[in-house]
């Protein structure tokens, strides 16, 4: 019989640490963007999907950059779903990640299972980790919920057995979603039914990709003869697959078989062009012809392969995300659109839902791994049809939608955030199957509940900074009619900024600054506005003023001091105010200056002062920038200003061809 139970998973883990206290007024540079010339050459519907509702900021989500790289054995809450064939281990406190999928009859692990928990800056808002199956909702990239808790409970599956429901309120797009995981009795396939709902009257942009990490010494087989290739040079074009000619960025040399991840030179995405009517599936098979296959109902249209490549940057990232000597991985993915660069529109009151299935596949290696791509596809497709017929997947989806999707949770196993409860209170939403009870409201939501109940946003305690922001139109309307005080003006300005009304946001922050006892939050916002409006010198002065306003509390609140100091030094250097940057640097707490990000900043400061030898010495002493972002090239750029010598492997994170 299938069982669902709590468990504990112990891994060497780096603690997540505190979130960045500064509001995320900007998105990070678009690693996965497309240049304007490429966009103009794409099919009209694809270009429309890529240009649909881009993020103006990461608000209201916080940036998660408080983690380090020191790992100690740590107990992680887990939920195990098990029948006599499969055992799935899920981490509800870390985005509902499926950490492991173990096939009992063969003793095989079907996924790439990371032996450590090491956050890195790959999610839209920072902290993310590699391995397993992850559920990505929100916008292009890894979800802001990558390292956040989800609600979890036992629900009845369509066959009457236990099912694990995961659900949360995704804040970038203001949408609730659920993932229902179950193992039919005797089945070799983990079923994952997903639903994204739009409880609002307005349409909403929707993004979803289920990402599965698999060992990279596999062949990835998919029912397509072409793919949209996307490299880190921001191009996107349709090419033949698996052998494509004239791919200048990413991928292997021309003429190589790109269905083998280890054949690629550089990190790249391959979005497969599956024909209409074709069953949706993707498989990753080893040298014996065995491995994992993923399939779904047709609503989950897209399939993708991500490879790190053989070059130094890709290998360094692989090492960075786990332990040296650990085998690498690739990702096979499935999404609502053809590419991860597109977003779909979900009408008000509507929903998207589908069913996925993950399980083992054994194929004839001579056919599946041979040079005949058509034969390889046919071998996998016939094996999948025998193991899990397409009609069976469709029937399971129908049964789930009719019998289980709205079923109420029976036993609560984990609790997520209180933001969904707050939105249900505000909007009086009816969401059968995914309750957001008032009992989940916490300290972050309480000021907003008071605004909802009384029309007044409570003033923070004396000396305290404003709390977490909310930015959707209903909350912005309430802030506009609430009594004005510095905290309310701060939050109103953030909501206006998010809505694209930057001039009005600046006016709100300037009004709040006149009476503010704690000035640094408003000064920081005004500094960001100056920088975005092309006034680097004024921005630098305001960043420095924000840091100075907090300086008396720096020793007792190093998190804020570090965040403000880092922005201020970078801004002062960008404005050519090197002397001011040095003055501010010496005021940073000593423990802050020891961190890797600040060691890099010190090297940049030394270079600006003309002290290249001392900047080189910083690199020679060694440091690690824990929150180095995907695609970042800053280490190589700073190193090249210090010396003409090749960049040491420890600092090699470049993902583009030279």
């Amino acid at each position: 019989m299938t069982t669902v139970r709590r468990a504990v998973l112990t891994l060497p883990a780096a603690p997540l640490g505190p979130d960045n206290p500064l509001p995320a007024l900007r998105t990070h540079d678009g690693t996965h963007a497309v240049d304007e010339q490429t966009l103009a050459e794409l099919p009209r519907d694809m270009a429309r999907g890529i240009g649909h509702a881009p993020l103006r900021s990461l608000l209201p989500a916080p940036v998660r950059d408080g983690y380090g790289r020191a790992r100690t054995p740590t107990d992680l809450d887990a939920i195990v779903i098990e029948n006599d064939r499969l055992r799935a281990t899920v981490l509800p406190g870390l985005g509902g990640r499926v950490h492991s999928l173990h096939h009992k009859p063969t003793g095989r692990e079907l996924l790439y299972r990371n032996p450590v928990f090491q956050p890195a800056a790959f999610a839209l808002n920072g902290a993310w980790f590699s391995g397993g199956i992850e559920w990505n909702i929100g916008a292009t990239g890894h979800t802001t919920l990558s390292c956040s808790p989800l609600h979890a409970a036992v629900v009845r599956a369509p066959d009457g057995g236990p099912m694990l429901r995961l659900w949360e309120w995704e804040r970038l797009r203001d949408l609730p979603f659920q993932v229902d995981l179950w193992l039919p009795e005797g089945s070799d396939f983990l079923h994952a039914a997903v639903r994204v709902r739009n409880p609002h009257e307005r349409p909403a942009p929707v993004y979803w990709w289920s990402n599965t990490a698999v060992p990279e010494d596999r062949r990835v087989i998919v029912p397509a003869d072409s793919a949209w290739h996307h490299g880190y040079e921001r191009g996107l074009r349709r090419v033949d697959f698996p052998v494509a000619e004239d791919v200048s960025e990413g991928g292997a040399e021309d003429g190589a078989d790109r269905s083998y991840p280890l054949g690629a030179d550089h990190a790249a995405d391959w979005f497969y062009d599956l024909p209409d009517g074709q069953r949706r599936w993707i498989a990753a098979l080893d040298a014996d012809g065995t491995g994992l296959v993923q399939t779904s109902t047709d609503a989950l249209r897209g399939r993708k392969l991500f490879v790190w490549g053989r070059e130094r940057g890709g290998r360094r990232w692989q090492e960075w995300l786990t332990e040296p000597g650990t085998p690498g991985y690739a990702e096979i993915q499935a999404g609502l659109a053809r590419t991860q660069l597109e977003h779909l529109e979900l009408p008000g009151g509507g929903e998207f839902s589908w069913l996925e299935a993950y399980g083992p596949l054994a194929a004839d290696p001579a056919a599946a791994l041979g040079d005949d791509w058509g034969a390889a596809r046919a071998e996998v497709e016939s094996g999948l049809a025998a193991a899990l017929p397409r009609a069976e997947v469709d029937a399971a989806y129908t049964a789930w939608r009719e019998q289980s999707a709205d079923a109420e949770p029976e036993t609560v196993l984990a609790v997520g955030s209180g933001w969904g409860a707050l939105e249900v209170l505000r909007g009086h939403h009816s969401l059968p199957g995914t309750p957001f009870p008032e009992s989940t409201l916490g300290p972050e939501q309480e000021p907003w509940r008071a605004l909802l109940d009384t029309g007044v946003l409570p003033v923070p305690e004396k000396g305290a900074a404003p709390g977490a922001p909310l930015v959707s139109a209903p909350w912005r309307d309430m802030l506009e009619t609430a009594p004005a005080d510095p905290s309310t003006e701060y939050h109103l300005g953030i909501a206006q900024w998010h809505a694209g009304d930057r001039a009005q946001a600046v006016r709100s922050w300037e009004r709040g600054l006149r009476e503010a006892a704690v000035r640094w939050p408003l000064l920081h916002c005004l500094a960001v506005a100056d920088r975005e409006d092309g006034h680097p010198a004024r921005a630098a002065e305001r960043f420095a003023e924000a840091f100075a306003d907090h300086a008396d509390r720096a020793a007792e609140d190093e998190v804020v001091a570090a965040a403000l100091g880092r922005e201020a030094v970078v801004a002062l250097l960008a404005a050519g105010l090197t002397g001011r940057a040095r003055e501010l640097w010496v005021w940073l707490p000593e423990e802050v200056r020891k961190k890797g990000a600040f060691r890099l900043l010190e090297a940049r400061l030394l270079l600006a002062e003309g002290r290249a030898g001392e900047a080189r010495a910083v690199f020679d002493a060694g440091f690690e920038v824990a929150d180095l972002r995907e695609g970042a090239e800053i280490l190589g750029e700073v190193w090249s200003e210090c010396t003409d010598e090749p960049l040491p492997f420890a600092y090699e994170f470049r993902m583009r061809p030279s």
Side-chain angles (χ1 to χ4, degrees), residues 212 214-227 241-243 257-262 270-275 278-296 302-307 330-334 359 361-384:
T212 304
V214 295
E216 65 181 349
D217 59 344
R218 299 290 190 265
R219 187 183 203 188
V220 175
I221 304 173
V222 66
D225 292 316
S226 61
F241 194 90
V243 178
D257 187 334
R258 288 167 171 82
S259 64
Y260 290 92
L262 282 173
W270 301 89
F271 300 104
Y272 298 109
D273 198 2
L274 274 66
Q278 167 65 51
R279 184 179 184 183
R280 266 49 189 162
W281 58 265
I282 187 169
L285 305 181
D286 63 17
D288 296 327
T290 61
L292 173 78
V293 65
Q294 186 269 4
T295 188
S296 71
R303 292 298 184 275
K304 172 195 163 183
L305 167 65
F306 167 75
V307 297
E331 287 181 353
I332 57 173
Q333 307 179 12
L361 187 78
D364 175 7
L369 307 180
D371 294 335
D372 187 332
W373 180 242
R377 290 170 43 187
E379 172 66 16
V380 174
E381 185 134 28
S382 64
L384 174 60

Side-chain angles (χ1 to χ4, degrees), residues 154-157 163 165 167 178 180 195 197 400-410 431-435:
V154 175
V155 185
R156 288 298 105 188
M163 177 172 73
R165 173 161 299 159
W167 73 100
Q178 70 190 77
D180 288 353
R195 176 166 62 171
R197 287 188 274 194
W400 167 80
R401 191 63 193 83
E402 294 176 351
Q403 302 171 32
S404 300
D406 290 342
E408 292 302 317
E410 297 175 2
L431 299 168
T434 54

